Amino acid sequence: MANLVSLALLVALAGPLCRHADATAFEVGGEEGWVVPPASDGGRYNQWASKNRFLVGDIVHFKYDKEEDSVMVVTEDDYNNCRATHPIFFSNNGDTEVELDRPGVFHFISGVEGHCERGQRMVVKVVGQGTPPPAPPSPPHPSDAAPSTRAIVAVAMALPVIVLSF
């Protein structure tokens, strides 16, 4: 029984690590990076975001000139009004990664005056991580219980050896 508890604990701890390993890093703006778009392309970032599917755990990566720009996560109201006075998150290091750590909507703007108004802003819609797990299998017939339990214990005992041997 202790081995089953150990196995359950190992799976619970490894689960989030596996999901993060599947995360996608999105390069905002492609080769040009996070820049003020030309007047003719003010919706550039929202068009780009609408063509991607963002999952919880994914990362949006912003490359920009740290002397001339910044990235902020703001509320919807601050996004709509290009208001940069109370950001939820702020970075101006020129190489910013933001993990999309929850489902829902993230609002990004440049923190430099005038940049948001000229189109340097983006809305990212994040969906949950995949589909729900399948239902557990039906309990085994009583005559099959002993071999199944032995198999589970054998796997539980071998798993730590397999994990530790990497």
Side-chain angles (χ1 to χ4, degrees):
M1 186 61 158
N3 287 333
L4 289 176
V5 172
S6 297
L7 177 62
L9 181 60
L10 180 64
V11 169
L13 292 173
L17 295 175
C18 294
R19 280 194 300 272
H20 190 65
D22 293 339
T24 300
F26 292 90
E27 297 293 327
V28 177
E31 289 184 26
E32 290 185 42
W34 180 243
V35 297
V36 178
S40 62
D41 197 11
R44 168 189 297 188
Y45 295 108
N46 282 330
Q47 289 170 1
W48 172 83
S50 71
K51 293 176 184 173
N52 290 292
R53 183 169 188 249
F54 300 96
L55 299 174
V56 172
D58 285 348
I59 294 168
V60 285
H61 182 221
F62 297 83
K63 292 287 281 180
Y64 52 94
D65 183 342
K66 69 181 181 178
E67 302 298 321
E68 298 182 20
D69 219 335
S70 63
V71 176
M72 295 181 162
V73 177
V74 296
T75 65
E76 181 178 8
D77 187 52
D78 286 348
Y79 172 86
N80 290 332
N81 294 293
C82 287
R83 191 172 36 234
T85 53
H86 295 96
I88 297 167
F89 170 82
F90 170 80
S91 178
N92 63 351
N93 67 6
D95 190 24
T96 302
E97 291 186 345
V98 178
E99 181 179 354
L100 304 172
D101 59 357
R102 60 172 172 75
V105 180
F106 287 76
H107 297 87
F108 296 93
I109 66 172
S110 168
V112 176
E113 189 173 333
H115 286 199
C116 176
E117 292 83 356
R118 291 171 45 203
Q120 195 177 5
R121 60 184 179 166
M122 175 177 68
V123 175
V124 170
K125 296 176 184 167
V126 181
V127 295
Q129 187 74 32
T131 57
S138 302
H141 188 272
S143 64
D144 296 337
S148 297
T149 303
R150 281 195 294 270
I152 290 171
V153 169
V155 169
M157 291 174 60
L159 190 58
V161 173
I162 293 168
V163 170
L164 295 176
S165 66
F166 280 38

